[in-house]
Amino acid sequence: LARKDSLFLTLLPSQFYLNQARWDIAGGSKVVYSNKYLLVQGFSLSSGLQKITAATQLQNNDESILISTENLDLGQLGTWAGLAAYQPDGRVNGTITIDKIFDDLFINANIRATDVKLGADTVGTISLIGDYDGKKKLMRLDPQTGIFRGDASVVASGNISFDTTTHQKLDGVIQFNNAPVVWASPFLTGIMSRLSGTLNGSVAFNGASYAPEMSGTVNLQNAGVHIDYTGCSYTIPSAVVNVTTRRISFGNVKLFDAYKNTATLTGHFSHNLFKNMHMHLTIASQKFEALNLTSNDNNVFYGHLIAGLDSFTIKGPFNDIKMELNNATPAAESRIYIPISSGSGDVSGYTYASFKTIGTTQEKTARKSKSKISINIDANINSLAEMHIVLDPTTGDEISAKGTGRIIMDIPPNNDIRMNGLYTIDNGTYTYTYKKLFLQKRFNLQSGSTVSFNGPFGSTTVNVDAVYKAKARLIDILNEADQAALSGNDRTDAQTRQDVDVKVKMAGYLTKPDLTFDIGLEDSHSQGTVGYRRLMLINSDPQQQVEEVSSLLLFGAFIQPDAIAGATVQSGAINSLSQALSSTTSATLTNMINRVTGNKDLSVTLNYTNYNYNDPSSLNTGNRNLIYGGLGGNFFNNRLNVEVGSTSDWGKPTSASNTSNFNITGDFRIQYQLAKSSGVRLSAFRTSDYDVTLDRDITRSGFGIGWRKSFDNFSEFFHGNKYAAKQNEELLQKVKEEEKASDSAAAKKQSGTN
């Protein structure tokens, strides 16, 4: 209602929503406003336990407005103030009195936030007690203003002027009393964590508002910090921090790593009255922990490195940090893992690249910080560091080597890693793991093998030679005719187990190298024998060569080439030992079982497949592995057919219901023919397969009865087996009569000629 120069407002019960929280406005409150006059009566807002009230009153012939708060949720206030990222929690109570509303404001505040938390860190009580004189543009902080928890506190007091046109002096101080460093944790999320230690000292504000000055000294005691992007934890027994208007200087600070190795920290934080803060820190040491990450911490690179450091610098603002590790040389036993990733999660899309998980697997947590961090590492690798390049995420193939080389690694904020340098291997192993068969074979790397990093991982090339040592007999590659022709020394040599070198050479791109093989004998006494000549023929045939390599790796023995008929290995197509072995294992196992049991009707099936899945409708992608193992056979004159086995499917995506257990009797198929002359068959089955579209295992089972009949024409189909047998007899009799007539005619013709 408006009347003359006044506005009269009476509020009815109503409500509104703010950040999904409902606020109720009490009815009956009144507001009257006119020139230099304001009346507020009974104004009240509430939301659950939260309440805000406001009312005007007359003090010293001046109008004042009193605002009271009860149990305000600090989390909601933080959202309004843009502090939601720090996850504030607590309750706010207090009063704000505003005097001289229509002249120069004078504000008096007495507000306390209790049980304050920032994320998981307990802060305590935050108090703001003081006043602001609008005429003088001067804020006065009471000594009760600050952060308090037990005997720890950060207290601010004094006068602060906001009038840059006058020479009003600043006179303020911030006092640290056993203040825990951990209070800074929420502001360093994703950069530093596990902060510990206490601060004691003071920082004074002086000068004029247009040219403020700040100075002070703070003592740091029993401090600790964890650098998230390197995984290392350091301790600082004591340090003196000098604070000025533009810098927070650390001088020379001694750091200790987890092994009590020491380093020197120098540098400072630059700032403008605590705004626009930049880090300028340098760490140097002859022996210090520089890296301690697992694959759960960082899927770009990980490992444990203790090195001599010319310098480890941390520069830039908190939201755009640049870390540089210069001339890092291993100074103790270290391990470095370099994963190869296609960008589709933890599982690489490459057929020949993987990482071996070290330690307990755990769920990876996403970083809350949106800060950009780039890392540059310049390392001179020596034999103290063991380099791990895992070649296949689905099988665990891994190169583990010691060697030398200079490697420069550049990791921008988007983790699009670049590496450059040549790594020369002195010694090491290539471990091949055949999953689900618990089979692991180890090749010895040859000195002089190299890995060349040429920028993106996809451009990395290898030139690696490795040898696997087995013991085998040459007689096992000879056929029956060759064995029968053996005599004397040839037979003795062929029947003797001797050292066999299975050599593999990996060349080309690391993501999909070309593999070539060679089978050699360590001793020369077999040269010229029948068995040796047969081995040389096998080496000249890539198909047979791969088959023999597979047999030596799987069973530690040669096998006759014709015993692996049906293997599907193609010459020039091998870039994974998994591919080579999965192509020959079924035929080799079948041959061995046939030999042991004497039953030619038994067969073994063992297949391994790596496949990718892409569903454009749901944007889901996956990289999975499938292995099938089964044993089958025919019994009772082929009337009973039995196959038992199981399928195991694992990889990404992963479901809790997808157990991937390999149970050789898990699945079965049985078919039984009731009578040999009958086409009626009984069947039963059970299968359990992973459905990638549903991301879970699907089990199917059932039984049935069927009838099968073979026929050459419809007459056979409708008249039955007896009719077909009679027709066959008549046809056979007719054929015999025709042959007899033909023989008689030929005899007469021969007689007439004579």
Side-chain angles (χ1 to χ4, degrees), residues 8-11 26-32 38-43 54 56:
F8 298 85
L9 180 65
T10 300
L11 299 179
S29 58
K30 297 181 180 180
V31 178
V32 179
L38 176 66
L39 172 67
V40 178
Q41 291 181 340
F43 180 81
T56 55

Side-chain angles (χ1 to χ4, degrees), residues 340-354:
I340 311 296
S341 174
S342 65
S344 57
D346 298 283
V347 181
S348 171
Y350 302 128
T351 60
Y352 203 77
S354 96

Side-chain angles (χ1 to χ4, degrees), residues 122-332:
T122 299
V123 176
T125 299
I126 300 177
S127 299
L128 176 60
I129 302 175
D131 53 54
Y132 173 74
D133 188 336
K135 184 176 182 180
K136 297 180 179 179
K137 295 183 179 180
L138 183 68
M139 182 171 66
R140 182 186 62 83
L141 294 177
D142 188 273
Q144 299 180 70
T145 297
I147 306 173
F148 304 88
R149 191 181 73 191
D151 64 347
S153 65
V154 177
V155 178
S157 62
N159 299 322
I160 302 175
S161 173
F162 294 94
D163 188 354
T164 58
T165 63
T166 69
H167 290 76
Q168 177 70 43
K169 296 295 183 181
L170 301 181
D171 181 18
V173 64
I174 300 176
Q175 184 74 39
F176 297 87
N177 301 303
N178 296 319
V181 178
V182 73
W183 282 350
S185 291
F187 309 102
L188 299 172
T189 300
I191 302 170
M192 301 176 187
S193 59
R194 307 178 198 173
L195 300 180
S196 62
T198 58
L199 295 170
N200 286 278
S202 62
V203 178
F205 291 88
N206 298 292
S209 57
Y210 64 87
E213 296 178 1
M214 184 170 59
S215 63
T217 300
V218 179
N219 294 309
L220 177 64
Q221 298 291 327
N222 301 320
V225 62
H226 180 81
I227 308 297
D228 291 350
Y229 270 77
T230 65
C232 298
S233 295
Y234 304 133
T235 58
I236 304 173
S238 64
V240 177
V241 182
N242 294 307
V243 181
T244 66
T245 307
R246 300 297 180 186
R247 284 193 176 192
I248 302 174
S249 301
F250 298 95
N252 292 322
V253 178
K254 181 173 288 188
L255 279 76
F256 292 84
D257 65 12
Y259 304 94
K260 303 303 179 183
N261 299 314
T262 61
T264 301
L265 167 69
T266 58
H268 63 276
F269 288 176
S270 63
H271 66 97
N272 182 14
L273 294 178
F274 296 111
K275 296 185 296 183
N276 302 321
M277 191 170 291
H278 284 64
M279 292 186 287
H280 308 266
L281 304 177
T282 300
I283 300 173
S285 176
Q286 294 182 350
K287 184 180 180 182
F288 205 60
E289 186 179 50
L291 187 70
N292 187 15
L293 295 172
T294 69
S295 58
N296 295 310
D297 300 320
N298 192 325
N299 62 0
V300 179
F301 70 98
Y302 59 95
H304 185 233
L305 174 63
I306 296 179
L309 311 172
D310 279 0
S311 65
F312 173 32
T313 61
I314 305 174
K315 297 181 179 180
F318 285 174
N319 62 351
D320 189 9
I321 296 173
K322 292 178 174 57
M323 295 183 178
E324 293 185 1
L325 197 61
N326 298 313
N327 194 24
T329 304

Side-chain angles (χ1 to χ4, degrees), residues 302 337-340 353-357 388-393 398:
Y302 59 95
Y337 294 82
I338 303 176
I340 311 296
S354 96
F355 253 57
K356 186 174 181 180
T357 302
H388 291 256
I389 303 175
V390 186
L391 300 173
D392 195 327
E398 176 184 276

